[in-house]
Amino acid sequence: MKDLRRSHTSNSSSSPSSSSSTMSSWIHLRSLLIVASSPVPDRGTLKSPWSRRKRKRLLTRHQWYSFFTPDGKLRDGGVKFLKKVRSGGVDPSIRAEVWPFLLGVYSLNSSKAERIAVRQQKRKEYEKLRRRCRRLLKLSTEGDKELKEIAQVSYAESPIFIEGHESPGSGDVFSARESLSVDRGSLDDGNIEQPSRDETSASNSCNVEEDKSGITHVNDASAGETESSDTESSTEDERESHLMYSAAEENMETDPNYIKITSIEGDNPKSSRAAEDFATWQRIIRLDAIRANPEWVIHFPAQALVSEDKALKSAVAVGLKDYDHLEPCRIYHAARLVAILEAYALYDPEIGYCQGMSDLLSPILSVMEEDYEAFWCFVGFMRKARHNFRLDEVGIRRQLNIVSKIIKSKDLHLYRHLEKLQAEDCFFVYRMVVVMFRRELTFEQTVCLWEVMWADQAAIRAGIGKSAWGRIRLRAPPTEDLLLFAIAACVLQRRKLIIETYSSMDEIIRACNNMAGQLDVWKLLDDAHDLVVTLHDKIE
């Protein structure tokens, strides 16, 4: 360095004309020293797709159609499509077409003809579930004996009991569901409190038109027409002794989170308990449906114009009560919630229904105008989310443990403070995990977060997460746990407040429950991506 300085000094004194070049050399030298002494950025040159400077625009209708080949298949197995969704979300006008791909209703490699066949089959399967729901509803007023008898028939046809699997505490299912009373409140009414640390987690005629993507748009028939059509075909449905779903079989083969599912015989002793469970689920579903968050209405003005006659027919069809204080659009929405949640309770009786599931379904129902499409999208969503509602809380505890590990790995000082407050288990983010930020974010923010999350999960299901996309994203492959990284990022954003202000876990819980409207979803995703980059290979 001294030699370099002498060189510059001698050169400057020997030639006045070289002063400008000498100054340039010094500036260059200084810049080199600054760069050499600067720490290497945590993420290198990798930029988050959600950062404000780099964020791309959402997937438009024109771009969506351009991703398809002439026979209706997504180009390159859907890699570019998923990347686009991951970086900016989906235009609201095409969500009803895009979501079935993100949620696994349609394969990313399916053709237009294959999707038409899938839709026809899915519709039939949903209608069969709804006919069983109506029979159970009809007989529920005729006494427990008849209800249990028909439940034995219905559940014998169902694919949703677990072979060789006994859920912990299954004998307490009814009492646990019963504890979800109206006095406790609902996640939908905005007044629910964070559960205590030791509390158990219980809680047809149509016009068809197709576009280039192979999506069929079906105009809703009236509720009365649908009921009539279902009744006419109920005799044929009752002759079937077993019902196995191709979708369930596909999930068993491709999704390690699914346990092998099979039907049971009518004389199985679980049938009696299942009947009691279903009656309880019906009661709770109707309470939660009435109190559903109406935020969706301003985003879907067309649905808000539903006629009072159509709304009332739908309410009567599903046995909805106490809805006189609601507008027709909310009555209709509540009736659809009841229909789909009841069908899901039959489809997956190990989970049945718990408070919070209506929060997850409501946005899907707002986007998907056909009930059967909304149902199968919900099934796809619940492929992973169902573990949030297990009575043994295994799924919830695993996720809270991951959030805790992320915080500990990223900010040990914050983690030590949480330990002092006996909050290192991160139970204060329980609600964020269960309903996936639905109560903390606005409707549009929630949907954007979910779309990015679904794109990650779709990439992993398709096997492209660690191949083509993995190379494109360098050290940031798609992850099944993006939600958990986002939750950890949310906590880390408030580290100073937590450390300097809060002296108990109850205070942190109250702060989390009052977080609605205070979050920037894209900043949240940017910070979550930062955590994925640095910690994804360290968090199991």
Side-chain angles (χ1 to χ4, degrees):
M1 181 66 70
K2 291 181 179 179
D3 293 339
L4 183 59
R5 289 179 179 175
R6 291 194 191 100
S7 173
H8 281 287
T9 302
S10 61
N11 289 339
S12 62
S13 61
S14 63
S15 175
S17 64
S18 64
S19 59
S20 60
S21 62
T22 301
M23 182 62 68
S24 299
S25 298
W26 272 107
I27 294 174
H28 177 65
L29 175 62
R30 184 182 178 186
S31 65
L32 290 175
L33 292 172
I34 292 174
V35 171
S37 62
S38 299
V40 177
D42 194 19
R43 292 190 291 171
T45 58
L46 184 61
K47 298 296 183 182
S48 167
W50 309 300
S51 65
R52 293 184 181 276
R53 289 181 299 171
K54 290 291 183 178
R55 183 190 166 197
K56 299 176 182 178
R57 295 184 178 181
L58 46 72
L59 175 66
T60 65
R61 182 178 295 274
H62 175 74
Q63 291 170 329
W64 169 237
Y65 292 153
S66 72
F67 286 140
F68 287 90
T69 62
D71 63 345
K73 285 190 175 183
L74 280 169
R75 304 179 192 277
D76 65 19
V79 175
K80 292 181 180 178
F81 154 61
L82 294 176
K83 279 182 58 188
K84 184 63 179 177
V85 174
R86 193 190 192 217
S87 66
V90 180
D91 188 306
S93 67
I94 57 172
R95 279 175 173 154
E97 302 175 18
V98 175
W99 283 12
F101 288 87
L102 294 177
L103 290 167
V105 179
Y106 304 139
S107 167
L108 294 177
N109 294 313
S110 62
S111 65
K112 177 180 176 181
E114 290 170 340
R115 291 194 293 275
I116 291 174
V118 167
R119 280 195 296 275
Q120 292 173 346
Q121 180 65 18
K122 296 291 188 187
R123 183 164 193 156
K124 291 178 181 177
E125 291 169 0
Y126 174 72
E127 289 172 349
K128 290 175 182 177
L129 285 169
R130 282 303 308 151
R131 284 194 289 273
R132 295 190 184 98
C133 291
R134 282 190 287 274
R135 293 203 299 272
L136 287 168
L137 177 63
K138 179 180 179 181
L139 293 176
S140 64
T141 59
E142 299 178 6
D144 291 342
K145 180 178 179 181
E146 290 85 351
L147 178 59
K148 293 177 183 179
E149 289 175 354
I150 193 63
Q152 291 178 355
V153 176
S154 296
Y155 278 71
E157 299 171 343
S158 176
I160 26 60
F161 266 96
I162 309 304
E163 181 179 16
H165 176 75
E166 182 72 22
S167 297
S170 60
D172 299 324
V173 172
F174 180 75
S175 60
R177 306 296 186 188
E178 186 68 28
S179 69
L180 293 170
S181 64
V182 64
D183 294 331
R184 179 182 172 190
S186 167
L187 286 169
D188 292 318
D189 62 15
N191 297 320
I192 190 169
E193 296 182 359
Q194 196 84 9
S196 65
R197 184 186 303 263
D198 299 321
E199 182 178 355
T200 302
S201 176
S203 6
N204 228 89
S205 58
C206 60
N207 296 322
V208 179
E209 58 179 81
E210 298 184 357
D211 55 38
K212 183 177 178 181
S213 68
I215 306 297
T216 302
H217 304 280
V218 186
N219 296 328
D220 283 336
S222 68
E225 291 172 340
T226 302
E227 291 295 318
S228 175
S229 174
D230 289 344
T231 302
E232 292 172 359
S233 58
S234 61
T235 303
E236 176 185 353
D237 177 55
E238 291 172 357
R239 287 199 296 267
E240 300 178 10
S241 60
H242 296 283
L243 175 62
M244 297 300 292
Y245 294 107
S246 59
E249 293 171 350
E250 180 181 352
N251 287 336
M252 284 182 263
E253 295 173 358
T254 61
D255 190 345
N257 292 324
Y258 265 73
I259 304 171
K260 186 178 180 181
I261 296 174
T262 186
S263 60
I264 63 169
E265 299 301 325
D267 58 356
N268 191 297
K270 291 182 180 178
S271 297
S272 177
R273 174 62 62 186
E276 294 177 342
D277 289 346
F278 189 78
T280 306
W281 296 333
Q282 283 183 315
R283 178 177 60 83
I284 301 171
I285 287 170
R286 281 160 179 74
L287 291 173
D288 285 354
I290 291 296
R291 296 182 298 214
N293 192 321
E295 185 184 3
W296 63 270
V297 175
I298 62 174
H299 298 279
F300 300 93
Q303 291 191 37
L305 297 177
V306 64
S307 68
E308 182 176 3
D309 182 61
K310 183 176 182 178
L312 295 179
K313 284 182 178 180
S314 298
V316 171
V318 298
L320 196 64
K321 300 178 181 178
D322 302 323
Y323 52 77
D324 294 341
H325 62 291
L326 298 179
E327 301 90 344
C329 64
R330 293 186 62 188
I331 295 173
Y332 184 64
H333 187 79
R336 295 183 69 200
L337 281 172
V338 170
I340 293 175
L341 290 170
E342 279 188 348
Y344 186 83
L346 284 182
Y347 178 81
D348 185 2
E350 186 201 16
I351 301 301
Y353 177 77
C354 290
Q355 287 182 327
M357 290 170 62
S358 58
D359 282 78
L360 303 185
L361 173 60
S362 185
I364 295 176
L365 203 59
S366 302
V367 169
M368 310 301 297
E369 295 186 3
E370 281 288 322
D371 282 6
Y372 78 95
E373 290 183 318
F375 172 79
W376 288 110
C377 283
F378 184 63
V379 168
F381 194 3
M382 289 294 290
R383 181 183 292 111
K384 184 173 178 64
R386 70 188 296 275
H387 300 288
N388 292 354
F389 303 99
R390 291 177 60 92
L391 284 177
D392 57 17
E393 292 192 318
V394 169
I396 286 291
R397 294 185 186 280
R398 183 196 73 85
Q399 294 177 83
L400 293 177
N401 185 49
I402 291 176
V403 174
S404 178
K405 285 182 177 179
I406 295 171
I407 294 173
K408 183 177 181 180
S409 299
K410 186 66 176 178
D411 192 333
L412 187 59
H413 181 48
L414 173 59
Y415 182 80
R416 295 302 184 201
H417 181 72
L418 293 176
E419 280 187 319
K420 292 178 182 179
L421 304 183
Q422 296 184 335
E424 72 277 8
D425 59 4
C426 293
F427 198 78
F428 52 88
V429 298
Y430 183 98
R431 189 177 73 176
M432 293 184 193
V433 173
V434 173
V435 294
M436 302 184 176
F437 274 112
R438 182 62 192 94
R439 303 303 301 174
E440 288 72 33
L441 298 173
T442 65
F443 179 91
E444 189 61 30
Q445 287 178 325
T446 300
V447 168
C448 288
L449 174 64
W450 288 0
E451 287 171 344
V452 173
M453 181 178 69
W454 293 340
D456 268 19
Q457 294 170 1
I460 293 172
R461 282 198 309 272
I464 61 179
K466 294 184 179 180
S467 56
W469 202 358
R471 290 192 295 272
I472 293 170
R473 297 308 315 150
L474 300 179
R475 295 184 295 128
T479 173
E480 286 275 8
D481 295 318
L482 180 62
L483 173 76
L484 306 182
F485 283 96
I487 291 173
C490 180
V491 176
L492 290 166
Q493 287 175 358
R494 286 155 179 75
R495 69 175 305 278
K496 183 177 180 180
L497 190 64
I498 293 173
I499 293 173
E500 297 180 357
T501 307
Y502 301 141
S503 57
S504 70
M505 190 176 76
D506 289 342
E507 292 181 359
I508 302 178
I509 289 175
R510 283 194 292 271
C512 289
N513 287 348
N514 294 327
M515 203 175 289
Q518 302 177 23
L519 297 175
D520 180 339
V521 67
W522 298 110
K523 176 64 166 61
L524 194 66
L525 283 168
D526 190 31
D527 289 352
H529 182 259
D530 183 19
L531 294 172
V532 172
V533 171
T534 57
L535 301 175
H536 74 89
D537 57 345
K538 302 176 184 178
I539 304 297
E540 296 182 359

